Amino acid sequence: MQPVPSTTDPAGRPWVGAMTTALAEARACLATGDVPVGAVVLDEHGVVLATGRNEREATQDPTAHAEVLALRAAAAVTGDWHLDRHTLVVTLEPCPMCAGAILAARVPRVVFGAWDPKAGAAGSVYDIARDRRLPHRSEVVAGVLEPECAALLEEFFRQKR
């Protein structure tokens, strides 16, 4: 089941602004040689609460994915690891590790830009984010600013080759 691309949530709040912020985080990865992926966590009013970007190269930490770092920062801001009224916006479809972290944090909605045809876990390769066998699931909104998100990744990998 593929999510329907959207630029707004059911309440009509735009995701474009949040994705633009996530893209700025992703671009900051270029300075450290990290894969350019950025993430933001929004509170229940759509206000940016925390941000994160890939930092695996910068920190030599294999778990330093944008989503994980943004979730950690949001938990620190709220003082609670339960992020059950928040939204995660990320430039690339979460991988299995990140999808697991999203569910562990009880995030009810994930918004992403580009699909990850190799390791995506929110509807492409896997669908961990919405797996009914798990105790928690997230709504998935895909394709927000997809061309911009995909182009940033494609250019990064083109330069690596």
Side-chain angles (χ1 to χ4, degrees):
M1 165 176 38
Q2 297 290 325
V4 176
S6 175
T7 56
T8 61
D9 72 0
R13 291 180 296 212
W15 299 122
V16 172
M19 188 62 75
T20 300
T21 301
L23 275 164
E25 287 292 318
R27 287 184 192 99
C29 293
L30 300 174
T32 59
D34 280 286
V35 176
V37 177
V40 299
V41 176
L42 305 175
D43 70 11
E44 63 268 23
H45 305 292
V47 176
V48 174
L49 186 66
T51 63
R53 64 169 98 44
N54 275 357
E55 294 183 6
R56 292 188 314 166
E57 297 297 330
T59 62
Q60 294 302 300
D61 177 354
T63 68
H65 287 209
E67 300 95 323
V68 170
L69 297 178
L71 293 173
R72 286 178 187 163
V77 168
T78 64
D80 191 354
W81 64 267
H82 295 90
L83 300 174
D84 54 4
R85 296 181 309 183
H86 298 76
T87 297
L88 177 73
V89 179
V90 60
T91 58
L92 180 65
E93 179 184 8
C95 72
M97 178 185 71
C98 293
I102 290 162
L103 296 182
R106 315 290 201 269
V107 176
R109 182 179 303 114
V110 178
V111 177
F112 68 85
W115 291 95
D116 184 348
K118 293 183 179 178
S124 62
V125 180
Y126 308 102
D127 202 357
I128 294 169
R130 296 178 294 180
D131 191 325
R132 295 203 175 277
R133 297 170 293 184
L134 299 173
H136 301 282
R137 286 165 291 290
S138 296
E139 173 190 0
V140 175
V141 178
V144 177
L145 296 182
E146 183 175 6
E148 294 90 334
C149 294
L152 182 60
L153 289 159
E154 289 165 5
E155 180 59 25
F156 174 80
F157 287 112
R158 186 174 12 262
Q159 290 183 11
K160 284 281 189 192
R161 292 182 186 114

